[in-house]
Amino acid sequence: VQLQASGGGLVPPGGSLRLSCAASGRPFGLYTMGWFRQAPGKEREFVAAITWSGANTHYADTAKGRFNISRDNDKNMGYLRMNSLRPEDTAVYYCAAKNTPGEYYSGSTFWYDYWGQGTLVTVSS
């Protein structure tokens, strides 16, 4: 599967953005999807994940209560809605996927097999 992340941009503190991840090549419903981010000089870190059915979602502590991950398998799309953005949310955001039949997820970059190219989110006034 090929992944294309989009939707990043410049947003003031407290603002919102919705990132999108477009999947192609194989039915997106076969994959767990994750969002990760990487700030300058830092390692890539887990943000959120959603299982193939959409029934289970998981968030990093920094994302809980502010971010919402969702997906539309019929459209082969995944989303990350980000609210109450902070300057420390500034990073390149990546979507990732792994083909798994069960309701599994992981917060490890090593678990995912497919990655999008990233979209830059800058939170600044």
Side-chain angles (χ1 to χ4, degrees):
V1 68
Q2 291 80 45
L3 305 175
Q4 178 88 19
S6 63
L10 175 63
V11 61
S16 298
L17 275 178
R18 188 181 79 160
L19 305 183
S20 298
C21 180
S24 61
R26 294 194 70 191
F28 193 43
L30 298 174
Y31 298 84
T32 287
M33 182 187 73
W35 285 95
F36 290 76
R37 69 186 184 186
Q38 188 165 18
K42 295 188 177 181
E43 293 187 353
R44 194 169 298 188
E45 65 176 7
F46 172 72
V47 176
I50 185 167
T51 55
W52 70 270
S53 68
N56 292 289
T57 58
H58 308 274
Y59 297 90
D61 288 343
T62 57
K64 288 178 182 176
R66 299 190 299 130
F67 294 3
N68 183 71
I69 189 171
S70 61
R71 66 190 299 157
D72 185 336
N73 289 339
D74 290 338
K75 296 181 179 179
N76 286 335
M77 293 292 296
Y79 305 99
L80 183 68
R81 175 71 179 183
M82 305 185 294
N83 299 316
S84 303
L85 283 162
R86 307 164 180 165
E88 53 264 38
D89 294 317
T90 295
V92 176
Y93 283 72
Y94 299 88
C95 57
K98 181 176 179 69
N99 186 347
T100 175
E103 294 287 317
Y104 304 119
Y105 86 102
S106 174
S108 170
T109 59
F110 297 103
W111 190 75
Y112 293 85
D113 298 320
Y114 304 96
W115 291 85
Q117 86 292 357
T119 185
L120 176 63
V121 173
T122 303
V123 184
S124 175
S125 55

